[in-house]
């Protein structure tokens, strides 16, 4: 995978393209058409797209995208210009003229009359810009914000949200808040930082091969264009024993649903066989809420649960608070086997409570949410997410999947990875349990811990993006997300997101 680029590295990529005979007009046309195709894939139902334009080539990219959306996919389009066209770059003027005079909107659109979805394309400022959008662009930022807040419009940033520093992630006052940021050719290092997640929204790369480069930032964005794990099709002679079996020690009387959701994640993640171990008192409950393909077995004590005879293990989802006897049995269960193992939720809480981080080994993947991570590594709590993840991985050999609106994957000796998929609807119970199951399935198949964590995070986030087309952030559940994992797999294999 390629590290994200700095602004200077992106400028060097453009200079290299020019040396190969690509002039600005050809680059802009290529990038703009790729942008239009990316928008169509992310929003396949034609609606209304309105570009908000500055003077530079980001505005040109947006205009080319509008023309493609209108002419090839049937969208209604228009643009709002912050400056008179004669004050814009020649290429912006050219593509505005191609789009036609009728596309220029002198006033804010009457949103109630616009076919949905209603997309606002932020083409105000380019990647090299710094500081807040100034007049008259600040008025257009406010206009986009009003339509996003009041009219259900979605804001798509072209390359970066105006007012966000592409190198540092610093957010200036009055910066655009985007729902999606569509980065041209390469991930931009600053936009992967947690400091600007609220303003970037979900991230995607617009493929422009001539500009593709390897950066030196030390951070990678997980995307199917870069990572080959999970890409090869299954062999036609595959059987349930050849694609991996997962053993799961999860669930408790208080959290039977966590066990079922984790098991569904393993099933939808590709495991050939899923064995689910839960306390005897909830066996029938769990059987009733699990798909019939899941093998559910009861135990009266953790010491009874086999630790081997599988290709991977998942432990902790909804396990509940453990007494000392149960903790000692769990410690032994974790340490006795070299099998790849996901440690989540209450397993991590128990490790933190007993200061037993020495249990963590290189065949483990830990999946804490921010609160669980704070308990595991309280001394790192004052650092930014990216730095705390790196520091943790330097000290402990396990692969860390730090959950959040921009999940991070950290492992010793490797660049930090940042997941780009997902949405605010994932802020609901059970999403982490589903993720643990999916990652467990990938470990069972034979992926490395780092690749399994990366692919699992991307798939769950993409499934949530697909599911939300039929839901809302307020109504999305982990069950909804699980039902779209198949579609997410298709997008991954075809590099469509």
């Amino acid at each position: 995978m390629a590290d994200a680029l700095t602004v200077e590295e992106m400028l060097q990529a453009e200079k290299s393209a020019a040396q190969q005979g690509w002039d600005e007009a050809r680059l802009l046309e290529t990038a703009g058409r790729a942008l239009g195709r990316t928008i169509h894939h992310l929003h396949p139902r034609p609606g209304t797209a309105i570009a908000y334009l500055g003077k530079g080539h980001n505005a040109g990219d947006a205009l080319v995208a509008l023309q493609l959306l209108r002419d090839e996919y049937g969208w209604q389009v228009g643009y709002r210009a912050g400056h008179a066209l004669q004050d814009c770059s020649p290429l912006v003027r050219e593509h505005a003229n191609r789009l036609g005079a009728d596309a220029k909107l002198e006033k804010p659109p009457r949103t109630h009359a616009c076919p949905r979805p209603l997309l606002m394309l932020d083409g105000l400022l380019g990647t090299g810009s710094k500081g807040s959008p100034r007049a008259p662009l600040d008025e257009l930022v406010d206009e986009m914000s009003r339509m996003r807040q009041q009219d259900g419009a979605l804001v798509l940033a072209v390359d970066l949200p105006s007012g966000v520093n592409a190198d540092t992630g610093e957010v200036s006052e009055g910066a655009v808040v985007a729902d999606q940021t569509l980065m041209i050719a390469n991930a931009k290092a600053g936009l992967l930082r947690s400091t600007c997640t609220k303003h970037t929204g979900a991230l995607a790369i617009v493929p422009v091969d001539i500009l593709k480069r390897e950066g030196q930032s030390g951070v990678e964005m997980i995307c199917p264009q870069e990572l080959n794990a999970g890409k090869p099709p299954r062999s036609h002679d595959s059987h349930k024993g050849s694609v991996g079996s997962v053993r799961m020690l999860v669930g408790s009387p208080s959290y039977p649903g966590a066990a079922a959701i984790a098991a569904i994640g393993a099933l939808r993640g590709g495991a050939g066989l899923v064995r689910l171990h839960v306390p005897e008192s909830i066996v029938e409950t769990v059987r009733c809420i699990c798909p019939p393909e899941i093998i559910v077995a009861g135990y009266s004590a953790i010491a009874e649960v086999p630790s081997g005879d599988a290709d991977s293990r998942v432990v902790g989802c909804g396990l509940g608070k453990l007494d000392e006897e149960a903790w000692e049995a769990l410690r032994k269960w974790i340490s006795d086997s070299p099998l790849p193992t996901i440690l989540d939720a209450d397993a991590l809480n128990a490790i933190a409570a007993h200061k037993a981080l020495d249990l963590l080994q290189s065949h483990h993947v830990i999946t804490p949410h921010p609160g669980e991570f704070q308990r595991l590594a309280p001394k790192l709590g004052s650092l930014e997410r990216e730095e705390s993840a790196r520091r943790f991985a330097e000290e402990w050999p396990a692969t860390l999947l730090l959950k959040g609106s921009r999940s991070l994957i950290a492992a010793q000796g490797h660049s930090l990875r940042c997941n780009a998929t997902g949405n605010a609807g994932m802020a609901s119970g059970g999403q982490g349990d589903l993720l643990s199951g999916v990652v467990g399935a990938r470990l069972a198949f034979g992926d490395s811990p780092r690749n399994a964590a990366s692919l699992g995070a991307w798939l769950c986030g993409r499934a949530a993006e697909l599911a939300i087309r039929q839901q809302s952030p307020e109504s999305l559940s982990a069950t909804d997300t699980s039902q779209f994992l198949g579609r997410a797999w298709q997008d991954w294999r075809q590099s469509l997101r």
Side-chain angles (χ1 to χ4, degrees), residues 42-45 117 154 179-180 202 421-428 431 459-485 487 497:
L42 293 173
H43 304 276
R45 187 180 70 192
L154 297 175
D179 297 284
Q180 296 169 338
T421 58
N423 54 50
M426 300 184 79
S428 60
Q431 302 282 353
L459 287 170
C460 289
R462 181 57 180 152
E465 293 175 351
L466 293 164
I468 211 166
R469 294 176 183 173
Q470 300 177 15
Q471 297 289 343
S472 71
E474 294 80 8
S475 66
L476 187 74
S477 69
T479 300
D480 297 326
T481 301
S482 73
Q483 293 170 358
F484 285 84
L485 280 167
R487 293 267 305 279
R497 161 70 170 80

Side-chain angles (χ1 to χ4, degrees), residues 370-385:
E372 291 159 352
F373 185 69
Q374 174 66 28
R375 290 189 281 275
L376 281 171
K379 294 181 180 179
L380 301 179
S382 62
L383 303 176
E384 289 187 356
R385 276 170 58 85

Side-chain angles (χ1 to χ4, degrees), residues 139-192:
E139 296 178 5
L140 294 182
V141 174
D142 290 343
E143 185 178 308
M144 282 191 285
S145 178
R146 284 196 304 273
M147 285 191 284
R148 181 177 183 271
Q149 293 286 344
Q150 300 173 14
D151 300 319
L154 297 175
V155 176
L156 275 59
V158 179
D159 220 14
L160 84 165
S162 298
V164 177
N165 189 302
D167 273 344
T168 66
E170 179 183 359
V171 177
S172 298
E173 184 177 357
V176 166
V177 176
D179 297 284
Q180 296 169 338
T181 295
L182 310 181
M183 297 177 288
I184 306 297
N186 302 280
K188 310 305 186 290
L191 303 186
L192 303 188

Side-chain angles (χ1 to χ4, degrees), residues 13 33 37 62-63 76 78 125 134 143 206 281 305 315 369 444 453 459 467-468:
R33 291 184 65 82
R37 288 189 292 270
L63 287 167
Q76 292 190 15
L125 296 176
R134 295 186 290 273
E143 185 178 308
V206 176
S281 61
V305 179
V315 56
H369 60 52
L459 287 170
I468 211 166

Side-chain angles (χ1 to χ4, degrees), residues 179-379:
D179 297 284
Q180 296 169 338
T181 295
L182 310 181
M183 297 177 288
I184 306 297
N186 302 280
K188 310 305 186 290
L191 303 186
L192 303 188
R193 297 185 66 85
S194 59
T195 51
C196 60
T197 300
K198 176 182 175 181
H199 287 260
T200 59
L203 300 173
I205 291 178
V206 176
V208 182
D209 289 345
I210 188 64
L211 295 177
K212 186 65 184 172
R213 290 293 183 276
E214 169 71 58
Q216 302 294 322
S217 64
V219 60
E220 304 168 349
M221 190 178 92
I222 302 163
C223 61
Q225 294 86 355
E226 297 285 349
L227 182 60
N228 288 325
K231 289 289 188 64
R234 281 188 177 183
S235 171
H236 196 64
D237 62 355
S238 296
H239 54 82
K240 65 184 179 184
S242 66
V243 296
S245 64
V246 182
R247 189 179 297 281
M248 314 187 84
L249 175 55
V250 293
S252 65
S254 297
Y255 305 107
I261 293 170
I264 291 169
L267 189 67
R268 298 291 187 188
L273 201 62
V274 181
R275 294 185 176 92
L276 186 58
H277 297 270
V278 298
E280 285 181 346
S281 61
I282 62 169
V283 166
E284 292 307 315
T285 298
V286 172
R287 281 179 179 154
C288 287
I289 59 177
C290 270
E293 297 87 353
I294 306 298
I295 301 169
V296 182
Y299 65 83
S300 59
I302 289 175
E304 301 171 5
V305 179
S307 61
D309 189 25
D311 296 298
S312 74
R313 307 182 303 170
V314 177
V315 56
C317 308
L319 201 59
K321 190 173 182 179
L322 306 178
D323 60 25
E324 285 303 312
E325 181 180 356
W327 158 246
E328 288 302 326
L330 180 65
R331 177 200 281 271
K332 187 173 188 302
W333 196 86
I334 293 170
S335 61
D336 271 2
S337 174
L339 288 175
T341 301
I342 306 294
L343 302 171
D344 186 29
D346 290 317
L348 297 177
N349 289 333
I351 288 171
H354 291 85
K355 295 181 172 52
L357 273 73
D358 57 312
L359 277 177
L360 302 180
Q361 300 300 321
S362 60
H363 57 280
H364 294 151
V365 176
I366 65 171
T367 58
H369 60 52
E372 291 159 352
F373 185 69
Q374 174 66 28
R375 290 189 281 275
L376 281 171
K379 294 181 180 179

Side-chain angles (χ1 to χ4, degrees), residues 365-437:
V365 176
I366 65 171
T367 58
H369 60 52
E372 291 159 352
F373 185 69
Q374 174 66 28
R375 290 189 281 275
L376 281 171
K379 294 181 180 179
L380 301 179
S382 62
L383 303 176
E384 289 187 356
R385 276 170 58 85
E386 293 81 8
E387 184 62 21
S388 63
R390 288 190 179 98
R391 294 276 190 91
F392 188 92
E394 289 171 359
E395 186 170 359
W396 305 105
T399 295
L400 168 66
L401 196 174
L402 180 55
K403 294 182 288 197
S405 58
R406 189 82 73 231
S407 293
L408 302 174
I409 290 85
Q412 284 185 358
H414 295 282
S415 293
L416 187 70
R417 283 181 176 172
C418 171
N419 186 45
T421 58
N423 54 50
M426 300 184 79
S428 60
Q431 302 282 353
D433 303 319
L434 186 73
L435 171 64
S436 289

